[in-house]
Amino acid sequence: MSGNRAPVAALFLLSPLVAEVLSGSTPLTGLAGLVFFIPMYGGAAVLIREISVRRDRGLPVVLLLGLAFALLEEGLVVQAIFHPQAVEAASWGAAGGRVLGAHVTFTLAVLVYHAIWSITLPILLCDLLFPGSRSRPLLGRTGLAVMAAVLLAGLTLVAVLVRVRIAPGHPTPVARSLGVALAVGVLCLIAVRFPSRGRRRPLPPGGGSGISGTAGPAAPWVISLASAAAGSAFLLALMVPIAFDPRPLPEPVSVAAAVVIAIVALAASRRAGHWSDRHRFALAGGLLPVPPAIGLVQAALHGYGTPGDRAGLVALLAATIILLIGIHAKGFSPR
């Protein structure tokens, strides 16, 4: 299993880096704080990847389990969907209505963000970095048990941190917690019962040609631009209206717009399992710069962070774009 250590380690670190650092939730000036979140994000991403590969379920199950993890994290562990103002998201907490105690706009934003950027995108990037291992398990039974223990320890650590240091005095009613747990269980059940993709003839790692070629449903640059536009539009549809008082759009309108964007994006990517690596790279390349860009918009609208934090987001956005351009210019050749 020694040959599997690199992809496991890469995914274990990619998930918290994309989830927390690229978005600015953990600024570069406070990077040491990321250590508390690595076991939770990393453990979840690795286990979800293993379940999807072992059951041959593909992207739909990764998204479903990513959504389950997001609900577990934000509903039970951090409790942010019920108390966004307690976790330094006061603008979200003050905006809009609630359903079953959860803030609608904030809940929709963070659940989709974690399902796509915290879980699915790091798994996609890891598969591109290590194409030889994408269709096989990386962990044995002992490894799975250890990773499950790491995830449980990470969830516990963050839960204690939130209740003791970050947001003490904001308990969630037991009924709401039980409802979240039930929803997480239902999502996991749907995921494990999701129909198998069947045994298809796999594409070669490079999809038959270089990254500059075209194949599949659209040219890579179209996929990249479309994914960046869809990801940005989804988050902006939820985030921008709450920055103004009165709101320029009623909450049902902004939420409905975000849901439509998400549905259209999912429908457009339904055949992503048939894409070549250059198309998957284009998808990842479009999504990766979205968190720092949206973080800068959020900072401008709400005055979040220090000047150093905002400068860090600019540096992250520039570094991400330069890295993607450099990989494209060199020619994407999976190892």
Side-chain angles (χ1 to χ4, degrees):
M1 300 295 290
S2 59
N4 295 336
R5 291 175 183 171
V8 169
L11 180 54
F12 192 77
L13 294 176
L14 270 173
S15 181
L17 284 172
V18 174
E20 289 287 319
V21 179
L22 269 188
S23 67
S25 296
T26 298
L28 292 178
T29 52
L31 198 57
L34 186 66
V35 68
F36 297 106
F37 299 96
I38 290 175
M40 180 180 69
Y41 285 114
V46 172
L47 286 176
I48 288 172
R49 187 263 177 204
E50 289 296 288
I51 293 171
S52 174
V53 170
R54 287 168 179 270
R55 302 186 69 87
D56 191 31
R57 298 303 195 262
L59 182 63
V61 164
V62 171
L63 286 169
L64 281 170
L65 291 177
L67 190 61
F69 164 74
L71 192 55
L72 174 65
E73 178 197 349
E74 299 290 352
L76 285 180
V77 177
V78 182
Q79 306 175 101
I81 64 174
F82 302 114
H83 309 293
Q85 73 284 350
V87 290
E88 301 181 2
S91 60
W92 293 91
R98 300 186 183 211
V99 172
L100 300 177
H103 291 258
V104 176
T105 299
F106 179 80
T107 299
L108 180 59
V110 295
L111 294 190
V112 172
Y113 177 84
H114 285 311
I116 293 178
W117 279 275
S118 301
I119 300 297
T120 304
L121 182 57
I123 290 174
L124 172 61
L125 289 170
C126 188
D127 284 347
L128 290 170
L129 288 170
F130 304 95
S133 62
R134 72 170 50 143
S135 60
R136 61 178 175 83
L138 299 175
L139 299 175
R141 290 185 178 181
T142 301
L144 287 173
V146 170
M147 195 59 65
V150 168
L151 172 59
L152 181 60
L155 292 169
T156 303
L157 175 63
V158 173
V160 171
L161 187 66
V162 168
R163 286 157 179 79
V164 174
R165 293 289 302 274
I166 298 176
H170 290 81
T172 298
V174 174
R176 292 178 184 173
S177 296
L178 290 175
V180 171
L182 178 61
V184 170
V186 169
L187 285 170
C188 291
L189 182 62
I190 294 173
V192 298
R193 292 182 175 273
F194 200 86
S196 171
R197 295 179 298 177
R199 296 297 176 186
R200 302 172 182 148
R201 182 174 61 87
L203 287 168
S209 60
I211 194 171
S212 60
T214 59
W221 68 269
V222 173
I223 293 174
S224 188
L225 289 178
S227 60
S232 300
F234 172 84
L235 293 174
L236 289 173
L238 297 173
M239 186 178 66
V240 171
I242 67 173
F244 301 96
D245 187 19
R247 292 171 63 109
L249 291 174
E251 185 176 28
V253 175
S254 59
V255 168
V259 170
V260 169
I261 292 168
I263 291 174
V264 171
L266 284 174
S269 63
R270 68 189 184 279
R271 293 184 60 81
H274 299 279
W275 291 358
S276 66
D277 278 1
R278 61 188 178 276
H279 292 90
R280 297 187 188 100
F281 173 79
L283 178 65
L287 291 173
L288 201 58
V290 170
I294 295 300
L296 286 170
V297 173
Q298 199 167 21
L301 292 174
H302 303 294
Y304 287 165
T306 65
D309 295 338
R310 292 189 283 273
L313 280 173
V314 172
L316 284 170
L317 178 60
T320 301
I321 293 174
I322 291 171
L323 175 64
L324 292 169
I325 292 174
I327 294 174
H328 184 279
K330 184 178 179 181
F332 186 65
S333 300
R335 295 186 295 274

